[in-house]
């Protein structure tokens, strides 16, 4: 049901799989990207260390079609890494930023990629064969703060971004130099570069930072999670109808659609959570961590002092009941089945990477239904 790997004692800030899922590239909260492969005993061994960034790596994405790795970092640069003679050779991409790059994603056809940044800019980068270099265009308005996440629509043109100005936005990232004119979408007809197609609040009330955005498999729906402990979804096929669920949970920082109606989110609660979207409503279905019992309670300062007073208990266990022992930083798709994504991976600040088999979890956890 779950495959737990203790990769390191250092936090895993981001990770990405190759095409056949035999290799994983990840960052251990430092300047390098490490590529791991599992041996016959189940141990993950580091095959390559990609050195180039002069500051912390903040984003990794491995192209499953072109087998190129794109990385970005707090040094304000991006690198495209290509395997040549069993060595990963970097190509520097000048993003023209004055603040750190924060996230990166290849477009679905992998002819371009998007980089979010603390400079209130999204850089759309594409390769110009004539001059043999990577160029970038900037999406700036109306972004007012750091771009924390980006995700591409399946049509390769539309891009979603989550920002720390409490907004989730949808833009056109059409690059006429390398692409044919796109067809109209449910998100909008005017698809000139940088055009704002939609804008949504992080949650109800004052909202919070939008940590992660994700398009559904067909691209008609967008989900996002905010630091206000909320998850929301908008349906472009229903006139951008928005459903917001304020959760009695710690904030989530990553989310992923696994089917057209099911979303997995994770963050500071240390376990993936399944949400269902249908009929214009969002609902929490279940947690994916079978180790967590409904009877187990979180240890609070108040309960600790009560136990010391009533029971004379000076020591209270602070172990976490979940498989992840600390916050989850990222969810990635590992494999797909007939219904949608059937395996996901999570990485966290505990140095663990866990692969979750959704099909087997659906059979073993009461009330868990993935539609």
């Amino acid at each position: 049901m779950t495959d737990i790997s203790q990769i390191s004692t250092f936090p895993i800030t981001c990770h990405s799989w190759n095409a056949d899922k035999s290799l994983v590239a990840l960052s251990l909260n430092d300047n390098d990207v490490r590529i791991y492969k599992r041996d016959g005993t189940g141990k993950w061994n580091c095959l390559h260390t990609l050195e180039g960034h002069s500051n912390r790596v903040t984003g990794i994405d491995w192209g499953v079609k072109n087998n190129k790795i794109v990385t970005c970092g707090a040094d304000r640069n991006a690198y495209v890494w290509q395997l040549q003679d069993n060595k990963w050779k970097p190509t520097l991409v000048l993003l023209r930023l004055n603040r750190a790059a924060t996230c990166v994603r290849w477009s679905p056809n992998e002819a371009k990629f998007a980089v979010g940044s603390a400079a209130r800019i999204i850089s759309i980068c594409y390769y110009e064969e004539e001059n043999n270099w990577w160029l970038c265009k900037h999406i700036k308005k109306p972004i007012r703060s750091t771009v924390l996440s980006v995700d591409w629509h399946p049509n390769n043109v539309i891009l979603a971004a989550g920002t720390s100005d409490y907004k989730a936005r949808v833009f056109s990232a059409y690059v006429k130099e390398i692409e044919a004119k796109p067809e109209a979408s449910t998100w909008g007809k005017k698809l000139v570069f940088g055009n704002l197609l939609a804008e949504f609040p992080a949650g109800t009330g004052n909202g919070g930072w939008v940590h992660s955005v994700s398009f559904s498999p067909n691209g008609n729906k967008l989900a996002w999670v905010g630091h206000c402990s909320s998850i929301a979804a908008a349906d472009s096929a229903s006139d951008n109808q928005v459903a917001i669920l304020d959760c009695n949970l710690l904030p989530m920082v990553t989310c992923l659609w696994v089917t057209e109606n099911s979303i997995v989110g994770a963050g500071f609660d240390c376990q993936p959570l399944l949400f269902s979207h249908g009929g214009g409503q969002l609902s929490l279905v279940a947690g994916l961590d079978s180790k967590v019992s409904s009877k187990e309670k979180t240890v609070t300062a108040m309960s600790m002092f009560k136990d010391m007073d009533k029971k004379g208990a000076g020591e209270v266990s602070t172990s976490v009941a979940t498989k992840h022992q600390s916050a989850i930083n990222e969810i990635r798709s590992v494999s797909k089945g007939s219904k949608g994504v059937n395996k996901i991976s999570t990485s966290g600040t505990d140095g663990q990477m866990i692969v979750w088999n959704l099909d087997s979890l659906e059979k073993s956890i009461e009330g868990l239904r993935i539609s």
Side-chain angles (χ1 to χ4, degrees), residues 86-331:
N86 202 36
K87 291 185 178 180
W88 288 92
K89 303 293 180 65
T91 300
L92 175 64
V93 182
L94 295 176
L95 301 175
R96 298 185 286 120
L97 301 174
N98 60 7
R99 296 288 188 276
T102 54
C103 52
V104 64
R105 285 291 184 274
W106 283 110
S107 67
N109 71 3
E110 297 173 15
K112 58 185 178 181
F113 59 88
V115 182
S117 73
R120 303 182 296 176
I121 289 171
I122 303 171
S123 297
I124 307 298
C125 307
Y126 62 97
Y127 188 70
E128 189 180 69
E129 292 189 8
E130 182 180 349
N131 293 309
N132 191 28
W133 59 17
W134 287 88
L135 297 177
C136 74
K137 291 186 171 185
H138 285 168
I139 298 175
K140 297 180 180 180
K141 295 180 180 180
I143 302 169
R144 297 179 180 177
S145 193
T146 301
V147 179
L148 300 175
S149 60
V150 292
D151 192 43
W152 287 94
H153 188 281
N155 73 357
N156 203 70
V157 171
I158 295 172
L159 181 77
T163 58
S164 59
D165 59 3
Y166 303 1
K167 301 290 184 182
R169 296 183 175 92
V170 180
F171 296 96
S172 169
Y174 164 56
V175 179
K176 64 180 181 180
E177 288 83 355
I178 61 170
E179 297 173 299
K181 187 177 180 179
E183 297 179 357
S185 161
T186 54
W187 289 101
K189 297 180 181 179
K190 190 178 180 181
L191 298 179
V192 296
F193 181 83
N195 186 40
L196 178 66
L197 302 176
E199 182 178 274
F200 306 104
T204 58
N206 294 327
W209 292 4
V210 177
H211 287 291
S212 179
V213 291
S214 177
F215 276 112
S216 63
N218 70 7
N220 286 345
K221 296 179 180 180
L222 177 71
W224 61 95
V225 291
H227 202 75
C228 51
S229 296
S230 69
I231 181 170
D235 189 350
S236 64
S238 299
D239 197 25
N240 287 354
Q241 181 182 15
V242 177
I244 299 176
L245 179 64
D246 292 318
C247 306
N248 187 23
L249 302 165
L250 295 176
M252 290 173 282
V253 298
T254 179
C255 65
L256 175 74
W257 288 90
V258 292
T259 68
E260 288 297 336
N261 300 308
S262 297
I263 314 162
V264 175
F268 292 100
D269 264 315
C270 309
Q271 70 158 325
L273 302 161
L274 179 69
F275 297 87
S276 177
H277 180 257
Q281 299 293 322
L282 269 170
S283 59
L284 173 61
V285 178
L288 299 186
D289 199 331
S290 58
K291 288 177 65 177
V292 181
S293 166
S294 60
K295 296 180 182 179
E296 290 174 332
K297 297 180 180 179
T298 305
V299 176
T300 64
M302 182 175 289
S303 63
M304 182 179 70
F305 285 115
K306 280 184 177 179
D307 285 341
M308 291 174 65
D309 181 45
K310 293 181 179 180
K311 303 175 184 177
E315 295 183 5
V316 178
S317 173
T318 56
S319 62
V320 181
T322 53
K323 293 178 177 66
H324 273 290
Q325 294 297 294
S326 191
I328 295 172
N329 290 327
E330 190 170 36
I331 301 174

